Amino acid sequence: MIIDCHGHYTTAPAEMEAWRKLQVQAIGHPGQAPSKASLRISDDQIRESLEGAQLKLQRGRGTDLTLFSPRASAMAHHVGDAETSRVWSELCNELVHRCCALYPDNFVGVCQLPQSPGVPPQTCVAELERCVKELGFVGCNLNPDPSGGYWKDAPLGDRWWYPLYEKLVELDVPAMVHVSTSCNPAFHTTGAHYLNADTTAFMQCLTSKLFQDFPTLKFVIPHGGGAVPYHWGRFRGLAQDLKLPPLKELLLDNVFFDTCVYHRPGIELLLKVVPVDNVLFASEMVGAVRGIDPETGHHYDDTRRYVDAIDLSESDRQKVFEGNARKVYARLRR
Amino acid sequence: MIIDCHGHYTTAPAEMEAWRKLQVQAIGHPGQAPSKASLRISDDQIRESLEGAQLKLQRGRGTDLTLFSPRASAMAHHVGDAETSRVWSELCNELVHRCCALYPDNFVGVCQLPQSPGVPPQTCVAELERCVKELGFVGCNLNPDPSGGYWKDAPLGDRWWYPLYEKLVELDVPAMVHVSTSCNPAFHTTGAHYLNADTTAFMQCLTSKLFQDFPTLKFVIPHGGGAVPYHWGRFRGLAQDLKLPPLKELLLDNVFFDTCVYHRPGIELLLKVVPVDNVLFASEMVGAVRGIDPETGHHYDDTRRYVDAIDLSESDRQKVFEGNARKVYARLRR
């Protein structure tokens, strides 16, 4: 079985975006905000949005189950206030839940959190709990920068985040550390902000006591860990200069990387330097890069091909494709 | 011959830091600012600061010439105003010039620019010209984020930067795109901000018309290009989705990467995916990572060992070690 731990509902019916537009227009005019109930999307529309995209690609690529969350770039936690974010997150999560209910063998939910810049993460606990306990979700996406490219909130090691971590630990669900759209013109969203956030999050973990305080907390760093595996020697050396224990001891019980690296040499490097127990298969399809690589004739994001091409023992391959996901997303086992 | 295109004077005598402290204390009290002449550092002090550090490592590692610039983290363009930055940059560049004059076979200068957040880069032209024409420097470090981690200035493709680019082109010197200290608690300076800036700068170039407007402008992206080579497929795919030409055609006449990647698998990846014509040898010693890697028994930043270990033709190895540097830093040839 192949579990893809990183997929977003990037193909939601246009009604979703139209609803969001109304919500954004109503910011500052609370009476005009659309109700959740006003969103009308039929099951057939959902089927259609998935059949020609994620499901087709799952079948074509021979992957089985996608851990499925709302579109990351559309989380846009910087828009409006915490209430805006609460309603939008609930709506996005409920739509993902419908996908999972329609295709329970193909999708398991991962939720968006109703974060808002400067607002204590405590406010996300209720939606996290609802998604896990009532909707059967197995994880969440945690945005380390709700400001959208201005990095105004506290680093992930700060106690600011602890109430949320307490709930993650209690529910036994991991967080994928995933930013949303960049509003900062310096950062291209998928070409810079996403990768920068991955690197930044890793270094925030490295320099904090987070996993001493939460020894069972688990983070998945997406996009192959940003720059981290490529600079694994730098990070080993930085930890050493800081008189910290080796990375394995310091954070590899808690930090995992996905395989969203869109060429074979990158995946080779990832699996060469990061212990195999810390790598989870993922593609992020249908996502940031949608084309076909002229050098291979296959989609850039068809990451299964890269993993297949690597010389791994069957036991290690099983870990990357399935076992590690079941270990990190503990509720998948249930 | 082996040219290390990325070294900073990180071991300057303590008088330098003391002078800077006085300068910073005098911000807002112009009459109290120390004069440049009040800095007293003897030639012997400079020799001592280099003999036991950069020169010892050059000899030990068998490298020959370092392109030497002021300490990057100390550029701190966010401190004070443009006048603060002007005086500090001049002082730093003059001290580097003294290193180069004392050891002309070992060091060639690369200058710090007197940037300041929100101040037009035009103000850097005079110091750049002085360093190149009077001090014999062959390049500069260009900070894409003078705010120190808040990314408030325009992206590198913006016309905001053009007056500086015009001078770079006229003088035929490249810029290494290198940030300074991060003041943003989200970003560890050497573990996140440096790498993020490299990735960000590359993507800013990719999405701009910069090299159409300046076909002979050359940027060196340090630290192995941040996350870029590891995600080479992603960047190829993003360019393709944006209907841009292939990366080689789009920017590889203008953008180069150094080899400051502190483990062998990283350097292997770099030289596998990036054309050999675009890779310049560098170590950034004595820099961000100073320890000895217990896995190899050698310094993490002894990058020559990694390049030596890679199967390259002699002609390609010569390009990486020397030829590409002479091509990019055209004034080195004179």
Side-chain angles (χ1 to χ4, degrees), chain B residues 188-254:
Chain B
H188 185 277
T189 295
T190 52
H193 189 43
Y194 280 19
L195 303 175
N196 292 351
D198 303 334
T199 309
T200 300
F202 183 83
M203 197 63 197
Q204 290 180 355
C205 291
L206 192 155
T207 52
S208 80
K209 304 214 177 294
L210 182 50
F211 302 121
Q212 288 176 34
D213 290 341
F214 295 97
T216 63
L217 181 64
K218 290 184 175 61
F219 284 164
V220 180
I221 315 265
H223 320 109
V228 173
Y230 175 48
H231 287 283
W232 199 242
R234 185 180 190 88
F235 290 96
R236 288 199 289 112
L238 285 168
Q240 188 173 318
D241 285 357
L242 291 166
K243 316 284 181 212
L244 293 167
L247 296 184
K248 190 163 174 49
E249 194 179 317
L250 181 66
L251 42 66
L252 291 186
D253 286 341
N254 307 90

Side-chain angles (χ1 to χ4, degrees), chain A residues 224 230 236 240 263 292-293 300, chain B residues 224 230 240 263 292-293 300:
Chain A
Y230 176 47
R236 288 198 290 112
Q240 188 173 318
H263 62 152
I292 288 173
D293 185 347
Y300 288 100
Chain B
Y230 175 48
Q240 188 173 318
H263 63 152
I292 288 173
D293 186 346
Y300 287 100

